[in-house]
Amino acid sequence: MQSEYAINPLPDSSIFISFFILFMLCVFHFVWKCVAGKPAIGGEWSLVDLDGNLVTNKQFEGKWTLLYFGFARCPDICPSEMVKVGKVMDTLAKEHPELAKNLQPIFVSVDPARDSLKALKEYGKDFHPSYVFLTGSPEQVQLMAKKYRVYVSKADETEDGDYLVDHSIVIYFHDDTGDLADCFTQSMRPSDVVEKIVERMTFVPSF
């Protein structure tokens, strides 16, 4: 199966934007590790769950979270990243069950026009049962994506009206207060992610 990026190559400006976003994420991560204060990424948001209920970031306080932005019709990248998170959850459940119980994976659709509650319910059947799937109005999704510096761009439609959505490929890892603890890129293996999660969730400050 071809990659969504192979099918719809990004224009030069989009490539620049994507690389710029990834570069800024790396800069943020370095600065965040070196100075005190909260990172200027993320924030308050409100979306809708698969039962049509309003969900906000406040409802996940007390839990660590793995947040991923994607869309249900993504042919390969989104499924691959979501399966990776599933493997991470299974490994943690086996090796660190107490940590796994306090970790919540979340999927946010960047294609609210097509990702209805019914569509997401069907889509969710193929992935780890612990996932929470969220969508919302285009305005709600755009606002959240902006707060997380997520690049989202609708590709050209085909003759039958189908299209893909180019977007940033980052898993955002939050601590139990809702603050961003780390970012995991597409190149990281499940074992790499597990190692980082265990390191952060078991970290004890020395002061």
Side-chain angles (χ1 to χ4, degrees):
M1 181 179 292
Q2 288 184 302
S3 164
E4 63 188 280
Y5 296 101
I7 296 173
N8 289 275
L10 295 174
D12 291 343
S13 59
S14 297
I15 293 174
F16 172 80
I17 292 172
S18 295
F19 277 111
F20 178 77
I21 290 172
L22 290 175
F23 171 76
M24 290 306 297
L25 280 172
C26 292
V27 170
F28 137 73
H29 190 58
F30 173 79
V31 173
W32 171 65
K33 282 182 175 289
C34 295
V35 300
K38 296 182 179 180
I41 190 169
E44 296 187 353
W45 50 265
S46 62
L47 293 172
V48 177
D49 67 14
L50 295 185
D51 293 320
N53 299 317
L54 182 68
V55 176
T56 74
N57 58 292
K58 297 291 186 182
Q59 291 168 247
F60 295 99
E61 290 184 355
K63 284 259 190 181
W64 294 67
T65 60
L66 291 169
L67 173 65
Y68 181 74
F69 293 85
F71 65 109
R73 299 196 186 193
C74 178
D76 49 16
I77 294 178
C78 293
S80 176
E81 290 299 282
M82 293 175 70
V83 167
K84 179 166 71 177
V85 170
K87 291 179 179 178
V88 167
M89 295 301 297
D90 287 340
T91 299
L92 288 171
K94 181 179 178 180
E95 300 178 1
H96 304 277
E98 292 306 312
L99 299 185
K101 291 178 183 178
N102 203 33
L103 182 62
Q104 177 64 62
I106 303 170
F107 174 93
V108 173
S109 170
V110 293
D111 187 17
R114 295 183 300 180
D115 285 350
S116 63
L117 300 184
K118 181 179 179 180
L120 284 179
K121 283 181 180 179
E122 286 299 313
Y123 185 64
K125 293 177 181 179
D126 294 329
F127 301 103
H128 201 275
S130 64
Y131 261 110
V132 168
F133 289 83
L134 300 175
T135 186
S137 67
E139 293 76 19
Q140 285 176 306
V141 172
Q142 289 170 9
L143 180 59
M144 185 176 181
K146 182 178 180 180
K147 289 184 175 182
Y148 278 89
R149 312 293 193 267
V150 176
Y151 169 75
V152 180
S153 178
K154 177 182 173 182
D156 294 336
E157 293 188 11
T158 61
E159 292 182 357
D160 59 1
D162 195 16
Y163 60 87
L164 295 174
V165 180
D166 298 319
H167 60 88
S168 306
I169 308 167
V170 179
I171 299 170
Y172 299 89
F173 179 45
H174 301 82
D175 66 19
D176 53 1
T177 68
D179 290 339
L180 191 64
D182 212 334
C183 294
F184 306 136
T185 62
Q186 185 185 9
S187 63
M188 296 179 70
R189 301 168 299 177
S191 59
D192 300 326
V193 177
V194 168
E195 181 180 350
K196 291 287 187 180
I197 289 175
V198 172
E199 177 185 345
R200 292 296 302 173
M201 292 185 74
T202 59
F203 175 73
V204 178
S206 58
F207 55 83

